[in-house]
Amino acid sequence: MVPSETLQYVGIVQLLLHFSWKWVGLIAMDNQAGEHFLRTMEQMLSENGICSAFTKRAPVKNQANTVAELIPTFYSNSSFLLDTQVKVIVVYGETSTIVWVATGIWLTSLSGGSEYLEQSSSWKVWIITAQIDFSLIDFQKSWNMGIFHGALSFTLHTDKVPGFQTFANIRKPSWAKEDGFIKYFWESVFDCVFLSADMQTETGKICTGEETLESVPATVFELRMTGHSYSVYNAVHALARALQNMHSSTPSKKVMANEDGLASLQVKPWQLHSFLQRIAFNNSAGDEISLNDHGELAGGFDITNVVTFPNNSYVRIKIGMLDPHSPPGKELTIHEDTIEWHKNLTQVR
Ligand SMILES: *[C@@H]1O[C@H](CO)[C@@H](O)[C@H](O)[C@H]1NC(C)=O
Ligand SMILES: *[C@@H]1O[C@H](CO)[C@@H](O)[C@H](O)[C@H]1NC(C)=O
């Protein structure tokens, strides 16, 4: 339920051309998807007269889980951050990729002293692809988001789903009967523990269960529906509708209730394909959800500007979009005057 990745590549090139950025660095995760990205991008960049200043491969998550493990991968590798000629760096990967980058900046600022952070010429415009999510609970609470102020981020299209914010706001761990996840989530988000009978000693903060998600910064939990969540939301609805369509077009005998009282369909998963392929509906946010001939969501990407605050929270402001239905070469729309750049960036072009 996500748009085609090719569209995102096209968008990156159009964004670079829009600002006449001709000398850019590329960072990709060190796996097959990352290699595919580097190969495709390098070709597309050279076809458009843009040079890649460097390419870096960031370890993927299972190779480097903690900051301590990331440090050695960076020491021999971080000088590119100090290259003042490169103003623009495109980051492709997963959340761990941006964690690797942030760790690198942090290490560089340690060894280079405050000078590095002050030096305006070393500031970059970060262009971040859609698979990267800033909301990483464990790491970012202590991380200075300010380094990504002004970043331009491709995000999966999202929309306001009526009632979602209220729903997220009023969830409490005491509702946990059918939710095996919320207690762990709560402890992690609010840095607290729930008292339990078998607990020996009380250490740290105790969760009251009355904490509110509204009070946590977006780096910990985004209250609006993220593009990732919106895709999952649409996928669940598409599947439910496909099942319903199949059910109404086949004799009712095929649905039987099992012991749990849950309906179990006596069908093979592949029998659902043709129903899924033909799916087209308007979701509760008013977006039309349909799949193209390749089974991909016929939707686009939003382009957002990351605006950070001193309290380490941030918002993403939509400043443009990538529309697959536009004529080739015209997919990107961007509202340049609404973009907030990093304050140390004196000249954008
Ligand atoms: C952080 O600061 C911004 C801007 O002042 C404010 O809108 C936001 O509510 C604050 N977030 C938190 C979690 O305090
Ligand atoms: C979705 O809504 C639009 C505008 O109201 C309408 O034209 C379109 O036919 C609807 N699509 C479906 C699949 O119901």
Side-chain angles (χ1 to χ4, degrees):
M1 296 304 284
V2 297
S4 133
E5 189 144 293
T6 315
L7 178 64
Q8 188 172 219
Y9 295 167
V10 168
I12 293 170
V13 172
Q14 288 183 12
L15 186 63
L16 297 172
L17 290 175
H18 177 89
F19 288 107
S20 311
W21 288 327
K22 293 286 165 83
W23 186 241
V24 302
L26 301 176
I27 299 176
M29 58 184 167
D30 191 4
N31 63 10
Q32 219 180 336
E35 285 308 311
H36 177 73
F37 167 81
L38 290 177
R39 248 184 298 125
T40 316
M41 273 320 287
E42 281 181 336
Q43 163 125 27
M44 289 174 76
L45 293 183
S46 86
E47 283 167 8
N48 285 281
I50 303 167
C51 300
S52 104
F54 60 77
T55 56
K56 293 286 164 196
R57 290 168 178 80
V60 290
K61 195 174 181 182
N62 52 11
Q63 291 167 2
N65 263 325
T66 67
V67 175
E69 284 164 342
L70 287 168
I71 289 174
T73 72
F74 225 98
Y75 263 126
S76 56
N77 218 342
S78 62
S79 58
F80 69 89
L81 284 172
L82 296 168
D83 186 339
T84 55
Q85 299 297 308
V86 184
K87 295 283 185 218
V88 179
I89 300 181
V90 182
V91 187
Y92 172 91
E94 291 165 356
T95 304
S96 62
T97 319
I98 203 81
V99 170
W100 185 76
V101 171
T103 309
I105 295 173
W106 174 66
L107 284 172
T108 310
S109 70
L110 286 187
S111 52
S114 56
E115 215 175 292
Y116 171 78
L117 287 171
E118 292 306 318
Q119 200 180 22
S120 61
S121 56
S122 51
W123 281 96
K124 318 288 182 202
V125 177
W126 299 95
I127 297 179
I128 293 162
T129 57
Q131 294 78 1
I132 294 175
D133 197 339
F134 281 114
S135 303
L136 233 205
I137 288 171
D138 289 335
F139 189 70
Q140 273 102 322
K141 276 185 206 162
S142 54
W143 159 6
N144 176 9
M145 263 306 282
I147 53 180
F148 293 112
H149 183 82
L152 300 179
S153 163
F154 286 80
T155 52
L156 299 174
H157 172 68
T158 183
D159 219 320
K160 271 210 161 103
V161 173
F164 174 73
Q165 204 139 341
T166 315
F167 171 80
N169 248 331
I170 61 174
R171 296 254 346 137
K172 296 279 181 237
S174 55
W175 298 13
K177 280 188 199 68
E178 277 129 28
D179 186 343
F181 171 68
I182 193 165
K183 282 207 163 127
Y184 297 104
F185 170 76
W186 214 259
E187 292 183 334
S188 178
V189 165
F190 295 105
D191 250 336
C192 59
V193 288
F194 281 103
L195 286 173
S196 63
D198 58 348
M199 204 151 76
Q200 301 300 326
T201 49
E202 294 170 22
T203 50
K205 206 171 92 189
I206 308 298
C207 303
T208 64
E210 293 304 315
E211 294 84 359
T212 58
L213 284 171
E214 228 168 0
S215 67
V216 299
T219 37
V220 177
F221 186 75
E222 286 193 52
L223 256 190
R224 70 177 192 118
M225 197 180 268
T226 62
H228 291 111
S229 301
Y230 188 68
S231 308
V232 174
Y233 174 82
N234 286 328
V236 171
H237 274 264
L239 203 59
R241 279 167 188 267
L243 278 169
Q244 172 146 34
N245 293 349
M246 184 172 71
H247 176 44
S248 52
S249 71
T250 47
S252 58
K253 278 198 284 297
K254 296 210 166 172
V255 180
M256 310 204 309
N258 65 15
E259 287 146 27
D260 301 330
L262 296 169
S264 77
L265 284 168
Q266 304 297 298
V267 291
K268 300 275 180 285
W270 59 263
Q271 290 177 295
L272 203 57
H273 289 179
S274 66
F275 292 95
L276 260 179
Q277 242 146 26
R278 280 178 276 147
I279 207 84
F281 63 96
N282 285 331
N283 70 10
S284 61
D287 274 348
E288 185 160 335
I289 305 300
S290 64
L291 302 178
N292 67 15
D293 297 340
H294 305 290
E296 297 159 335
L297 185 72
F301 290 91
D302 292 340
I303 298 167
T304 58
N305 183 207
V306 177
V307 175
T308 63
F309 302 118
N311 61 15
N312 224 22
S313 191
Y314 68 91
V315 288
R316 296 184 203 237
I317 312 277
K318 183 171 168 181
I319 49 101
M321 66 176 302
L322 260 183
D323 182 359
H325 307 297
S326 299
K330 300 244 182 292
E331 290 90 342
L332 179 82
T333 332
I334 195 144
H335 305 291
E336 196 178 327
D337 49 339
T338 57
I339 302 177
E340 258 194 53
W341 304 102
H342 197 281
K343 65 172 175 13
N344 286 1
L345 203 73
T346 45
Q347 201 184 346
V348 169
R349 282 195 165 87

